[in-house]
Amino acid sequence: MQANKEADFTLDLRGESCPYPVIYTLEALEGMNKGELLQVITDCPGSFRNVPEEAIAHGYTFAQDPIKNGQEYLFYINA
Amino acid sequence: MKNFIQPVFQRYWNPYVVLLIAGILSALYFGLTSTVWAVTGEFTRLGGDILKLFGVDISGWEYYDMVHLKGTTWSRPDGWIVWGMFIGALMMVLLSNNFKIRLPQQKRRYVQGLVGGIIAGFGARLALGCNLAAFFTGVPQFSFHSWIFIVATGVGTFFGAKLTKMRWWKGKPTLTRGTAKPSKVKKRIIQPYVGVVIAIVYLGLTIYFFVTGQKLLGLGALFGLAFGILIERGQICFTSAFRDLFLVGRSVMAKAIIIGMAVSSVITVIIISVYDLTPITQIAALSTFVGGVLFGLGIVMASGCETGMMYRLMEGQVLFLPVFAGNIIGATFLAYAWDHLGIYDVLVKSGTKINLMDSFGPVGAILATLAMLGVLYALTVYREKRYHRQLAMKRGVNQHAS
């Protein structure tokens, strides 16, 4: 687990319902260079589970543990 | 206390466990009431109630005779299943402090939700059941129409998933450079207290039903509440079970639903045999297939089916208001089209009620059902594996090129 490195990009998904958080996250990661860091802000409860699980299933890693921020989650994913 | 609160309210429950419990409870509900866990029949009746409110005379509509439109939604056990589900979901959302008004950034979602909701509502009622009565609680009744419906829903969601991937449909997300600030978190937490108040009032109402001898309403209210709690805590989404398999090779929900149905089928066959009950059979006809395809397409367009829509709305996902409205509009339109536009004559009349219990007996019926579910499970695993194999190959090619 890395210390809080500044994210290169932020994907603000607040308000979007499933499946769009997963689709958007995977697309954003695909378009980024290896080694860059993506911050995802999401509040769709379904995405609290399927975004991290699918990011890992698609071969990406987490830079740090997910952060629960009230009714939303913050994810930090390495492209 | 904290050891209890943490896993129950702060984390979502394992979907396998949730669907196992849901499968057992729905078999019990059938044993106690001889009806099944279902929602869209009641949506159709709600549409009828609304039409009557506006002075429309629906007394001659055959579909409303068939679904027994009587009384009000408050005097129907099916009505209390629906309201119980809403309240159970809302209760859990509040107890976990997770309610938030969630407005989609993409305005097109509202249109997609309404149109998808109408198509799904229409399709579900055409097939005589949604993902519950023609699927999760239809298979354990050994009604063959649910077998057709599952295949048809798979076809519909496949095309829905294709649509979802199109640029004009999904829209572009807001990807910005650097780190953005998350929302400010409110310090004062009041949601759980509201949740407790709702729970106490609702349990009081349920007790009132039993004490005054309205046993069926009480059971509806109680089981509805349990189903609502389960679908919210497990985030049980039938739409995603098919769709995510096609979209991102995700299989958890599909597998959990199949296992839940298998357990429910075994318990139901025992209950039917021991208590000598008649399983609930719906017509299997061309309408089942057409309705299933429309349902599958509609739920993916709307991002939620008639069940998933309920707990999402309670989480404050505003998108599901037009979906709910669409579901009722679609179901009501089907009730009109049934005899007025000749749908019954063209698509339904030639069909028959087929129940596997009658055709093969209890042992044959349960074996056939388990075999069918086994094939579904194998197909799910195959599809997931294939997706990830293709993904690995694509990655390999890309790395080679760079």
Side-chain angles (χ1 to χ4, degrees):
Chain A
M1 291 289 153
Q2 238 170 310
N4 302 358
K5 185 186 137 191
E6 185 80 4
D8 295 290
F9 290 97
T10 295
L11 193 55
D12 182 356
L13 301 172
R14 279 172 283 190
E16 279 295 326
S17 297
C18 290
Y20 302 100
V22 177
I23 297 179
Y24 285 162
T25 303
L26 292 178
E27 276 182 4
L29 286 165
E30 213 170 301
M32 286 164 60
N33 294 318
K34 231 179 161 41
E36 285 181 327
L37 181 65
L38 176 71
Q39 179 191 37
V40 178
I41 310 178
T42 181
D43 63 7
C44 166
S47 72
F48 299 166
R49 193 186 253 152
N50 62 22
V51 165
E53 284 182 7
E54 285 313 310
I56 289 168
H58 285 72
Y60 303 103
T61 53
F62 270 68
Q64 62 177 80
D65 283 335
I67 298 172
K68 187 176 189 320
N69 181 59
Q71 286 89 30
E72 61 194 36
Y73 260 93
L74 306 176
F75 298 124
Y76 296 90
I77 311 169
N78 295 312
Chain B
M1 194 63 188
K2 206 165 182 193
N3 292 342
F4 172 73
I5 287 176
Q6 193 74 10
V8 174
F9 298 115
Q10 301 291 329
R11 258 181 252 135
Y12 288 123
W13 303 347
N14 183 323
Y16 288 98
V17 177
V18 167
L19 281 159
L20 214 71
I21 300 172
I24 296 169
L25 286 185
S26 55
L28 281 180
Y29 185 66
F30 170 71
L32 289 168
T33 64
S34 290
T35 58
V36 292
W37 174 25
V39 294
T40 52
E42 184 59 23
F43 285 7
T44 322
R45 290 182 210 114
L46 280 176
D49 289 339
I50 294 169
L51 287 180
K52 277 201 276 190
L53 206 68
F54 282 98
V56 181
D57 179 24
I58 54 167
S59 55
W61 296 22
E62 272 171 38
Y63 201 89
Y64 281 119
D65 288 338
M66 189 173 70
V67 297
H68 309 296
L69 178 60
K70 273 187 296 219
T72 65
T73 185
W74 315 115
S75 63
R76 295 189 287 256
D78 279 357
W80 278 104
I81 285 277
V82 168
W83 304 116
M85 283 170 73
F86 272 125
I87 288 171
L90 179 64
M91 229 172 73
M92 296 317 278
V93 170
L94 291 172
L95 288 173
S96 57
N97 192 35
N98 197 25
F99 183 85
K100 182 192 169 193
I101 298 289
R102 295 159 159 103
L103 296 159
Q105 295 172 23
Q106 305 277 348
K107 297 291 169 265
R108 67 190 80 186
R109 297 277 180 265
Y110 293 111
V111 183
Q112 295 169 351
L114 182 67
V115 175
I118 292 175
I119 295 175
F122 183 89
R125 289 325 297 167
L126 177 59
L128 297 169
C130 64
N131 53 303
L132 296 176
F135 202 134
F136 192 74
T137 51
V139 169
Q141 292 295 322
F142 308 101
S143 178
F144 186 67
H145 91 298
S146 57
W147 290 41
I148 302 173
F149 189 79
I150 289 177
V151 174
T153 306
V155 173
T157 43
F158 175 78
F159 289 108
K162 285 240 181 286
L163 189 64
T164 308
K165 277 189 181 165
M166 288 183 187
R167 191 164 291 276
W168 62 273
W169 180 274
K170 67 182 174 200
K172 256 179 89 111
T174 44
L175 188 66
T176 49
R177 280 200 174 274
T179 307
K181 282 225 159 56
S183 311
K184 253 212 161 97
V185 179
K186 285 199 189 95
K187 281 256 161 58
R188 264 182 55 201
I189 294 176
I190 54 164
Q191 289 186 20
Y193 299 104
V194 183
V196 170
V197 172
I198 292 177
I200 292 170
V201 172
Y202 191 81
L203 285 177
L205 181 78
T206 311
I207 293 168
Y208 166 80
F209 282 144
F210 282 111
V211 170
T212 53
Q214 307 180 73
K215 193 180 138 215
L216 285 179
L217 292 187
L219 285 173
L222 204 59
F223 277 83
L225 185 78
F227 291 135
I229 292 172
L230 288 171
I231 55 170
E232 194 280 332
R233 280 292 90 186
Q235 296 279 304
I236 302 307
C237 176
F238 284 75
T239 310
S240 74
F242 282 104
R243 178 198 65 205
D244 291 4
L245 210 49
F246 299 130
L247 275 184
V248 289
R250 187 177 168 78
S251 67
V252 194
M253 201 50 72
K255 287 181 191 163
I257 289 172
I258 293 168
I259 291 175
M261 281 198 290
V263 172
S264 194
S265 302
V266 172
I267 300 176
T268 306
V269 82
I270 295 170
I271 288 178
I272 289 175
S273 309
V274 172
Y275 296 99
D276 199 24
L277 298 174
T278 314
I280 293 167
T281 318
Q282 303 287 4
I283 291 178
L286 196 55
S287 58
T288 319
F289 189 80
V290 177
V293 172
L294 288 175
F295 172 77
L297 179 67
I299 57 175
V300 178
M301 289 171 74
S303 299
C305 69
E306 280 87 337
T307 322
M309 165 286 278
M310 297 173 92
Y311 69 82
R312 298 223 172 87
L313 194 56
M314 294 299 105
E315 287 165 348
Q317 298 194 46
V318 179
L319 164 64
F320 292 95
L321 273 179
V323 175
F324 187 23
N327 285 160
I328 291 185
I329 293 169
T332 311
F333 179 64
L334 182 271
Y336 174 79
W338 190 257
D339 41 1
H340 295 81
L341 300 179
I343 283 196
Y344 177 78
D345 288 334
V346 177
L347 293 175
V348 191
K349 210 175 173 179
S350 54
T352 43
K353 289 188 176 184
I354 303 171
N355 195 291
L356 303 177
M357 292 278 271
D358 303 331
S359 314
F360 307 119
V363 177
I366 187 69
L367 288 181
T369 301
L370 292 179
M372 182 272 283
L373 293 174
V375 170
L376 272 189
Y377 196 93
L379 280 174
T380 305
V381 173
Y382 169 76
R383 171 70 219 174
E384 181 192 18
K385 290 244 163 76
R386 204 173 77 118
Y387 174 88
H388 280 285
R389 218 172 29 239
Q390 283 174 341
L391 186 75
M393 257 165 65
K394 214 170 92 186
R395 284 267 161 75
V397 171
N398 282 348
Q399 267 173 9
H400 214 70
S402 64

